[in-house]
Amino acid sequence: MRTVLFKASPSRSPTRSTPHRQTFSDTLMDENFENARELISRWDASGSSSLHCDVANLFASDNRYEAQQYLNSIKDLQTAMQYYISQDPTSDKLVLAQNLMQIAMKRLEKEFYIILKSRRQHLDPESVSRASRSSVSEFEDDSEEDEFSRVGEDSISEVELVSMDAMKDLKAIAECMIGVGYGKECVKIFKIIRKSVVDEALYHLNVESMLSLAQIQKMDWEVLEVKIKAWLYAVKVAVKTLFYGERVLCDQVFSSSPSLKESCFADITREGALSLFVFPENVAKCKKAPERIFRTLDLYEAIADLWTEIEPIFDLESTSTIRQQVINSLNKLGEAVRATLTEFETAITKSNSKAAVPGGGIHPLTRYVMNYITFLTDYSGVLTDILADWPLTVPSPLPEAYFGSPVSADGTSTSSISIRLAWLILVMLCKLDGRAEIYKDVALSYLFLANNLQYVVNKVQKSSLKLLLGDEWMEKHEEKVRQYASNYERMGWSKVFAALPDANDNQMTIPQVTDCFKRFNSSFEEAYNNQASWVVSDSKLRDQIKVSVARKLVPVYREFYGKNRQLVARKEGIVRFAPDDLGNYLSDLLFGAGGSGSNLSLSTSSSASSFSSSSGHSRGGRSR
């Protein structure tokens, strides 16, 4: 508000004051008045009613000394006016001084506008931000100007120097105008120009003003995802540069008036900031789908990471609505993440594919779920915050002991994210147990379970899931893989093992030996042909299984073969396999391609004479 003190009433003519003796103070005030009138009249811009005029810039680099003198003359004029009022409120000098003050304020309004417009590129938020970070204290006192001018170019760039000079000039003008009651005019110009800067910057950052919830909800996900990516870039620039720079500029220019600097910053940034920060909340309200969780987490993470910068920028009472909007967006995003995880769990339990995976390989559900969970670990930090107040409730039909919450290396309880991810894996494994029942061959169902659990273990081992789930979880599930593999071996090869005689049975007759070879041939062929298309995807597990079978089978058969092959050597087709053949045939299995031949009985037609040599016959299969 203008100081009423300095305004003369237009409805009354000034009367001549009572003559009195000229004092030293009178003389001094008159000199102040005359000096001010001379300088102010020289820069009188009252001939133009517009802020756009051709009058030279008072605050140009070659006029900086005179600009300072101009501001000093206004302060002197203010002092003189205060003196005249105290001596004679009806003095004609007071009226002249008031008119002179209005001329000066008109000039400063134009100068303020000219600086804001002509040095706009040096007052862009990025330049202001850099200048502020380079020398935060440079604006605190004009007396530091000489010291500031000695700062080396290596520490502050030329652009930053110009930016600092522009802010100093704006600050000096603002302080002068506010001091004599013309702050309202100064603030009005500042708000109009700087709001246009903010709005233009947000437009170039592709921040769409007031994009409604209904519009966002109608967007195709592909379109919305593009807008989310643009927002993720925009919010960093807006917070770190745009809003930070505007806060610095407002604080510096209007440092003499806390209320004005707060009002300026709030009015300049409120609309743009609310448009920016309401977008994540609207996205969070859109349809929940498992694949959308990662963009939702990106939005949450971006805001959470920037919160320590957002809060001090908008720490004013007048910007509390902006802070609250940021908090609302975080809360809604957190709720959306929790709802999406619930949807994901539901999708696992409702997965109803009844088709058996050929050869007992990796089920698509296993790949999808583990890839999904692995990607989730990239957001373990924010997920820990989001899930902290969302305890897991284990369904009553499933004993909690079966779930077995993961524990950290030191035995302490793990974070909420570890428990939640372990639970999702367990839900999937339970679903796979049901899928295993599709296989009619029990051995193949165990191989299917071994395959899929091994895939899970490998995913955990090679990702940060291992740190989240812990060594105990790993050991437990690795042991479970071994159990499945052992069950496969027992069910898939039990007839073959049973066909071999007891190693201590040394009193077998020729008919018994013949019958034993026949039973072994038949059971081995059956097992081989049955498993020709089965697969073990993990090479290490595949080798472990085949080595285990070979160790139980080949040595026993080799001993039996060595003792008895001569007894039946003349009988055609009785001895079908040499000991080395068994290893070669086993090496062909579990690749899922049917080995070298799809049917063992067609690929082997060896007669007894084929094994007359002590070295035996070696099949040209896949060597290991």
Side-chain angles (χ1 to χ4, degrees), residues 59 64 108 111-117 119 123 163-178 186 189-190 194 249 252-254:
F59 282 80
R64 298 194 67 80
L108 289 185
E111 291 294 327
F112 200 73
Y113 177 88
I114 290 170
I115 294 171
L116 286 171
K117 294 293 287 186
R119 301 190 202 174
L123 289 172
S163 177
M164 288 178 174
D165 285 342
M167 280 191 278
K168 284 183 177 180
D169 291 341
L170 290 172
K171 175 182 178 181
I173 294 173
E175 286 182 345
C176 184
M177 294 184 71
I178 293 169
C186 178
I189 296 170
F190 188 87
R194 293 314 299 179
L249 189 59
Q252 297 299 334
V253 173
F254 297 103

Side-chain angles (χ1 to χ4, degrees), residues 528 546 583-591 594-596 619 621-622:
Y528 180 91
K546 290 193 288 191
N584 289 330
Y585 279 119
L586 289 174
S587 69
D588 274 347
L589 290 177
L590 305 183
F591 286 97
S596 297
R619 179 178 179 274
R622 183 183 286 107

Side-chain angles (χ1 to χ4, degrees), residues 495-506:
K495 289 184 179 181
V496 181
F497 297 147
L500 292 172
D502 190 303
N504 298 321
D505 190 352
N506 297 317

Side-chain angles (χ1 to χ4, degrees), residues 500-518:
L500 292 172
D502 190 303
N504 298 321
D505 190 352
N506 297 317
Q507 304 297 323
M508 295 181 69
T509 64
I510 291 178
Q512 288 175 325
V513 171
T514 300
D515 183 60
C516 189
F517 269 115
K518 287 181 178 181

Side-chain angles (χ1 to χ4, degrees), residues 3-62:
T3 306
V4 177
L5 209 61
F6 296 159
K7 289 186 176 179
S9 172
S11 62
R12 58 179 293 190
S13 300
T15 58
R16 187 171 301 278
S17 59
T18 303
H20 66 278
R21 187 168 56 86
Q22 186 85 357
T23 65
F24 174 77
S25 296
D26 292 335
T27 302
L28 182 60
M29 291 303 106
D30 288 346
E31 286 182 0
N32 286 346
F33 175 80
E34 289 301 325
N35 291 337
R37 179 166 62 177
E38 190 278 330
L39 189 54
I40 291 171
S41 298
R42 188 188 313 166
W43 290 92
D44 185 1
S46 60
S48 172
S49 60
S50 170
L51 290 177
H52 302 276
C53 64
D54 296 328
V55 180
N57 184 2
L58 172 60
F59 282 80
S61 59
D62 54 346

Side-chain angles (χ1 to χ4, degrees), residues 343-358:
E343 288 288 328
F344 180 62
E345 181 181 336
T346 301
I348 296 173
T349 58
K350 289 185 177 180
S351 173
N352 56 6
S353 173
K354 295 183 179 180
V357 178

Side-chain angles (χ1 to χ4, degrees), residues 489 493 497 500 524 543-558 579 582-587:
E489 180 183 308
W493 295 94
F497 297 147
L500 292 172
F524 187 82
D543 289 344
Q544 288 174 347
I545 289 175
K546 290 193 288 191
V547 167
S548 177
V549 173
R551 284 177 177 171
K552 293 180 177 65
L553 182 62
V554 175
V556 178
Y557 181 76
R558 186 184 300 279
L582 300 183
N584 289 330
Y585 279 119
L586 289 174
S587 69

Side-chain angles (χ1 to χ4, degrees), residues 368-383:
Y368 176 72
V369 171
M370 290 311 300
N371 286 335
Y372 190 89
I373 292 177
T374 301
F375 285 135
L376 282 178
T377 62
D378 294 337
Y379 301 90
S380 58
V382 293
L383 274 173

